[in-house]
Amino acid sequence: MSTFRNLAGTKALSWAEPGTSSLLLIPETCCCLGRSWKLPGTLCRTTGEKVVLIGRMSAQVPMNMTITGCMLTFYRKTPTVVFWQWVNQSFNAVVNYSNRSGDAPVSTRQLGTAYVSATTGAVATALGLKSLTQHLPSLVGRFVPFAAVAAANCINIPLMRQRELQVGIPVTDEAGQRLGHSVTAARQGLFQVVISRIGMAIPAMAIPPVIMDALEKKDFLKCRPWLGAPLQVGLVGFCLVFATPLCCALFPQRSSIQVSRLEPELRAQIHEQNPSMEVVYYNKGL
């Protein structure tokens, strides 16, 4: 007996032979299913564009453990601070743009301006904090990269996703039917993303500095200073393995907002279509 089963959004023709529990699939269907299983991690949910490899959330741990480990290791000299903060914010700019929520087009000029503003603001923040902590204990100086990253997230994310704040992001009903665009929903979504990213950085940038500060006073590392960087990178990676999925799950990607909090025009439009609707949904991005 033939039946249609919907798997990963793709209809697959399948049947079970009488007296058996085995499931047979048409070859073309298997290929389609294989492609559909790849879609969530490789395509942007709102635009359908293919996400560049380092912009995917699956790249967060390997990329961040390397960059963050180097930021925590080479924090004493200004040139290395500038270089690694620039690398980090360039990487964050790619991630923030790739995982945006709105589907409004962004020109190359707007994207370039946002990138320069985001990276410059982040590097300036790091240098300012470094100068303020020059005469403080070395352990305090180790936390400068975290403070800079936290502050930079508040700059980088809104700038790289500024179109969402200008034109809004799509809001839908429970069935996924688009109802309009909302700037209020965009603000709420960006706030949630900033909190998630800062939370993601806390374990990786707060725990390793304390451990490394204690280890560097031991003879083992004094005799083997070359072990400092790989050990720091390993500690950061260990923290990120747990922090990344936990903080991504702080807020659902498909978030909700009360209709009463939306813009008056959009609220009136929704109530005209469905007076009983109280909650709408939106994709906040990552």
Side-chain angles (χ1 to χ4, degrees):
M1 185 173 74
S2 298
T3 58
F4 277 96
R5 180 175 298 178
N6 191 299
L7 297 175
T10 305
K11 286 185 177 178
L13 181 62
S14 61
W15 68 90
E17 293 293 339
T20 69
S21 58
S22 60
L23 186 67
L24 302 178
L25 294 172
I26 296 176
E28 289 84 359
T29 302
C30 294
C31 296
C32 293
L33 289 175
R35 287 194 296 270
S36 70
W37 287 338
K38 297 177 184 177
L39 296 185
T42 58
L43 300 184
C44 179
R45 292 183 60 140
T46 52
T47 64
E49 299 173 357
K50 185 176 181 180
V51 177
V52 64
L53 182 61
I54 64 170
R56 302 171 192 172
M57 293 309 291
S58 58
Q60 280 287 296
V61 173
M63 291 296 296
N64 268 329
M65 68 181 285
T66 304
I67 297 172
T68 303
C70 290
M71 281 196 297
L72 293 175
T73 302
F74 308 110
Y75 68 94
R76 293 183 177 91
K77 296 181 180 179
T78 300
T80 55
V81 169
V82 172
F83 175 74
W84 285 110
Q85 285 291 336
W86 170 75
V87 171
N88 183 52
Q89 293 310 317
S90 297
F91 167 65
N92 284 341
V94 174
V95 174
N96 295 334
Y97 178 74
S98 300
N99 294 280
R100 64 195 184 280
S101 173
D103 53 3
V106 182
S107 68
T108 304
R109 183 177 180 179
Q110 289 173 324
L111 197 57
T113 303
Y115 168 73
V116 172
S117 302
T119 52
T120 302
V123 171
T125 302
L127 292 178
L129 290 171
K130 182 179 181 298
S131 65
L132 291 174
T133 59
Q134 280 182 342
H135 305 293
L136 295 177
S138 61
L139 182 59
V140 177
R142 288 179 180 274
F143 287 98
V144 167
F146 167 66
V149 166
N153 272 323
C154 300
I155 301 171
N156 197 315
I157 294 173
L159 281 175
M160 291 306 298
R161 295 173 58 173
Q162 60 181 285
R163 286 291 290 169
E164 299 173 34
L165 298 173
Q166 294 170 351
V167 300
I169 58 176
V171 294
T172 66
D173 58 18
E174 192 172 3
Q177 185 68 33
R178 184 173 295 196
L179 303 171
H181 288 73
S182 170
V183 172
T184 303
R187 290 197 193 109
Q188 178 173 296
L190 286 175
F191 175 76
Q192 291 174 345
V193 171
V194 169
I195 295 300
S196 296
R197 295 289 184 83
I198 293 175
M200 201 181 295
I202 289 175
M205 303 191 78
I207 298 174
V210 176
I211 297 175
M212 291 302 298
D213 190 67
L215 289 178
E216 286 180 357
K217 296 174 183 177
K218 306 293 184 182
D219 292 336
F220 180 78
L221 272 187
K222 285 181 180 179
C223 298
R224 303 169 182 83
W226 55 271
L227 273 177
L231 184 57
Q232 186 120 245
V233 169
L235 286 170
V236 170
F238 179 78
C239 293
L240 285 173
V241 164
F242 298 98
T244 300
L246 285 174
C247 291
C248 281
L250 281 177
F251 305 100
Q253 186 166 357
R254 187 176 186 242
S255 296
S256 61
I257 186 172
Q258 295 289 327
V259 174
S260 58
R261 295 182 54 196
L262 298 175
E263 295 84 342
E265 300 84 2
L266 180 58
R267 189 165 62 238
Q269 179 182 329
I270 291 173
H271 281 158
E272 184 179 345
Q273 297 176 8
N274 190 343
S276 62
M277 187 175 295
E278 297 182 356
V279 178
V280 293
Y281 302 88
Y282 65 91
N283 171 33
K284 70 174 179 62
L286 289 172

